[in-house]
């Protein structure tokens, strides 16, 4: 017996907003679309959901294909389903955002897929509603950053307080007072100062810090 034969079929896809942090800027991986419709237009990386996989599985598979990385921080952004969003077919897309350390991304894979890191504040016009997806993903990440230390997934294991402040400024889109920011950071037991010094910026150098996940799990009052 065939069920639902009286209804039109709808395609379901996932689109992935992959955020990275580099040179003090929040960036997104985008590339030229390799299929019709919209061939050659700037686009997020995505694909259709297979018949034998769930939405989260499809998103994880898509991100793994692009980055080669597993176990990334990933959250669903929402569903995008305007009837005219895809001129090819009736396609509903579920958007996800993922956070990666740019240094962990294999350059060979980037070139193979033909994608580039673009400053989130200066994105070109993207295919369909992909600009809207990026805006919503950034808003959700900004909200999450206030209550969870998700930003550490965009940083190397060892980082300076300047790097950390620039990350928060890039995500929030506004400058932060250096003195107040550092005072707040020093109150957080899960941000540990190490004995290591980063001398890449000056002869004196800057202390390197790291995120202590165990200490964070024991701190119920985190908020920045």
């Amino acid at each position: 017996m065939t069920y639902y034969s009286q209804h039109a079929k709808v395609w379901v896809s996932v689109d992935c907003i992959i955020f990275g942090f580099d040179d003090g800027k929040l960036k997104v991986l985008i590339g030229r679309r390799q299929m019709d419709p919209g061939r050659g237009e700037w686009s997020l990386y995505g694909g259709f959901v297979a018949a034998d996989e769930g939405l989260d599985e499809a998103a994880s598979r898509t991100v793994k294909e692009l980055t080669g990385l597993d176990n990334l921080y990933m959250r669903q952004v929402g569903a995008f389903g305007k009837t005219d969003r895809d001129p090819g077919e009736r396609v509903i897309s579920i958007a996800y955002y993922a956070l990666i350390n740019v240094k962990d991304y294999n350059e060979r894979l980037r070139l193979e897929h033909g994608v580039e890191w673009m400053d989130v504040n200066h994105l070109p016009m993207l295919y369909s509603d992909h600009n809207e997806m990026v805006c919503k993903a950034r808003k959700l990440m900004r909200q999450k950053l206030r209550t969870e230390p998700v930003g550490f997934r965009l940083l190397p294991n060892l980082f300076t307080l300047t790097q950390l402040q620039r990350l928060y400024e890039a995500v929030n889109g506004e400058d932060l007072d250096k003195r107040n920011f550092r005072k707040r950071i020093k109150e957080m037991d899960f941000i540990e100062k190490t004995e290591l010094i980063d001398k890449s910026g000056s002869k004196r150098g800057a202390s390197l810090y790291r995120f202590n996940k165990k200490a964070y799990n024991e701190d119920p009052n985190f908020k920045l």
Side-chain angles (χ1 to χ4, degrees):
M1 181 179 294
T2 301
Y3 297 100
Y4 314 128
S5 59
Q6 72 273 30
H7 297 288
K9 290 186 177 180
V10 175
W11 296 85
V12 180
S13 67
V14 293
D15 283 297
C16 299
I17 303 106
I18 301 175
F19 288 115
F21 179 69
D22 193 33
D23 294 329
K25 297 179 176 63
L26 183 65
K27 298 186 177 182
V28 182
L29 271 180
I30 62 173
R32 296 287 186 178
R33 190 169 164 87
Q34 301 296 313
M35 60 186 292
D36 293 317
R39 185 183 297 271
E41 294 183 28
W42 287 107
S43 171
L44 295 172
Y45 193 81
F48 289 102
V49 179
D52 61 347
E53 65 181 352
L55 292 173
D56 291 353
E57 292 175 304
S60 296
R61 170 182 56 79
T62 300
V63 171
K64 176 69 180 294
E65 289 175 356
L66 179 61
T67 67
L69 301 173
D70 282 314
N71 302 316
L72 295 176
Y73 179 89
M74 187 181 300
R75 291 294 183 271
Q76 190 178 116
V77 175
F80 294 78
K82 291 182 180 179
T83 56
D84 60 349
R85 65 174 302 276
D86 193 310
E89 292 285 352
R90 179 76 169 95
V91 180
I92 294 175
S93 181
I94 313 300
Y96 286 77
Y97 77 86
L99 308 180
I100 71 172
N101 181 350
V102 171
K103 305 303 181 186
D104 291 338
Y105 187 29
N106 190 302
E107 181 69 6
R108 179 186 60 79
L109 276 177
R110 187 188 69 78
L111 295 174
E112 180 181 314
H113 288 287
V115 291
E116 298 181 28
W117 287 110
M118 290 273 193
D119 185 342
V120 71
N121 294 315
H122 298 95
L123 290 179
M125 182 61 67
L126 303 179
Y127 176 75
S128 185
D129 47 13
H130 290 189
N131 288 89
E132 182 182 348
M133 292 180 180
V134 174
C135 287
K136 186 173 182 181
R138 186 183 185 186
K139 181 179 180 181
L140 292 174
M141 181 172 61
R142 185 181 298 148
Q143 294 171 348
K144 185 68 71 174
L145 196 63
R146 293 175 184 148
T147 57
E148 295 181 29
V150 297
F152 294 104
R153 297 176 181 271
L154 295 167
L155 293 170
N157 291 330
L158 296 174
F159 52 86
T160 66
L161 291 185
T162 297
Q163 285 177 300
L164 184 60
Q165 180 173 339
R166 286 178 179 170
L167 169 63
Y168 274 85
E169 291 175 336
V171 173
N172 291 314
E174 61 183 12
D175 292 337
L176 299 174
D177 180 79
K178 180 178 179 179
R179 182 177 299 176
N180 290 339
F181 180 81
R182 297 201 172 196
K183 179 181 178 182
R184 183 70 185 94
I185 291 299
K186 289 179 180 179
E187 294 173 354
M188 300 176 184
D189 293 336
F190 53 85
I191 299 180
E192 295 181 337
K193 184 177 181 180
T194 71
E195 296 180 354
L196 302 173
I197 301 294
D198 174 23
K199 293 188 177 181
S200 61
S202 66
K203 291 183 178 180
R204 181 181 178 184
S207 296
L208 286 167
Y209 292 74
R210 64 186 169 204
F211 172 62
N212 185 321
K213 185 176 181 180
K214 181 179 179 181
Y216 166 72
N217 290 332
E218 297 172 353
D219 182 355
N221 300 311
F222 169 71
K223 189 174 183 180
L224 183 63

